[in-house]
Amino acid sequence: MSRILLQIDGKEVEAREGLTILEVAQNEGIVIPALCHHEKLDPYGGCRICIVEVEVRGRTKLVASCVYLVEENLFVRTRSEKIDRIRKMILELLLAHAPDSPQLLDLAQEYGADKDRFEKETSFCVHCGLCVRYCAEVKKKNAVGFVDRGIRKEISFIPKIAAKECRNCKECFSLCPTSALQAAFVLTEALFSPPRSSEVESEG
Ligand code: SF4
Ligand code: FES
């Protein structure tokens, strides 16, 4: 596979064809924030926090670095006033959903994002899709998915599959940047847990 020469933040970098800007930056120790990216999963490009500026053949544009493949003579900037402004806005919107997420709060500090800028819509899920994609692509179980659409979209375990597959797995939990996933699982677990004897007695 051929090698490509490009520049990231003024540093000349040699990369393998087929890699994304984010992967190459990570290999070089250059930090780009990424919320919906996972090295075991197909590129997704959902959260846009990994946005960078690229200049190719004299044209400059903003792209999501986790899905944009490196090209010969590409110039990449990972920080600028414009990039930071966009990341700040994305964080403020996400924090309205998950105001206590440590990962978001760390990034908010770095980008000067105000966690109270937008009215709170605390669904806790920021729709990164990591849990859904990990379960489908890595575990091949599809025990968790999205229900509804738009702002009402939320995460849901499929009780029938979760009862069989999730108790001894739970690998998706640590991927979630908020507490939404654990909360959804606890709710689902209640559906497939057998009733305790005291509950059965009191029902009778
Ligand atoms: S529950 Fe967590 S991991 Fe799953 S989509 Fe929502 S924020 Fe992402
Ligand atoms: S990490 Fe690139 S869009 Fe989310």
Side-chain angles (χ1 to χ4, degrees):
M1 204 170 269
S2 64
R3 312 292 293 179
I4 284 173
L5 276 182
L6 69 151
Q7 273 195 22
I8 306 182
D9 293 341
K11 180 181 174 188
E12 188 138 299
V13 171
E14 198 182 297
R16 189 159 43 84
E17 193 184 354
L19 292 182
T20 63
I21 294 174
L22 181 68
E23 287 168 325
V24 174
Q26 285 175 339
N27 291 344
E28 293 295 320
I30 298 166
V31 177
I32 299 174
L35 287 170
C36 68
H37 168 80
H38 189 284
E39 64 276 9
K40 287 189 182 165
L41 304 179
D42 289 342
Y44 185 59
C47 73
R48 314 311 275 187
I49 197 84
C50 68
I51 204 154
V52 295
E53 209 169 81
V54 297
E55 190 189 318
V56 59
R57 292 178 284 281
R59 283 186 54 231
T60 305
K61 55 185 175 178
L62 292 167
V63 299
S65 63
C66 68
V67 291
Y68 196 94
L69 300 182
V70 289
E71 299 172 45
E72 186 71 31
N73 294 327
L74 192 68
F75 290 86
V76 182
R77 285 179 85 189
T78 68
R79 291 294 288 256
S80 70
E81 209 178 298
K82 193 172 178 183
I83 294 167
D84 284 13
R85 210 172 46 239
I86 295 170
R87 288 184 186 155
K88 176 174 178 282
M89 169 77 94
I90 292 170
L91 287 165
E92 286 168 342
L93 288 165
L94 295 179
L95 279 160
H97 291 283
D100 303 321
S101 158
Q103 203 176 336
L104 292 182
L105 289 171
D106 283 352
L107 285 170
Q109 201 169 21
E110 184 173 348
Y111 288 93
D114 175 2
K115 80 178 179 74
D116 299 315
R117 171 145 180 224
F118 295 106
E119 202 177 322
K120 296 280 172 297
E121 300 254 1
T122 41
S123 61
F124 301 101
C125 177
V126 293
H127 302 154
C128 69
L130 284 173
C131 55
V132 177
R133 292 180 291 129
Y134 188 87
C135 194
E137 292 176 31
V138 178
K139 306 299 294 186
K140 315 260 183 244
K141 299 296 182 198
N142 298 298
V144 59
F146 282 116
V147 289
D148 244 322
R149 284 168 177 228
I151 51 164
R152 290 221 300 269
K153 184 162 113 171
E154 59 181 50
I155 210 74
S156 179
F157 282 88
I158 290 95
K160 224 172 156 180
I161 306 176
K164 210 160 71 159
E165 308 290 350
C166 297
R167 274 212 182 104
N168 296 323
C169 173
K170 298 181 182 172
E171 285 172 31
C172 59
F173 281 20
S174 62
L175 307 180
C176 181
T178 80
S179 53
L181 189 55
Q182 286 90 330
F185 183 72
V186 170
L187 284 177
T188 314
E189 209 176 17
L191 293 177
F192 58 71
S193 293
R196 283 172 305 206
S197 54
S198 58
E199 288 169 350
V200 173
E201 277 161 25
S202 65
E203 275 167 21

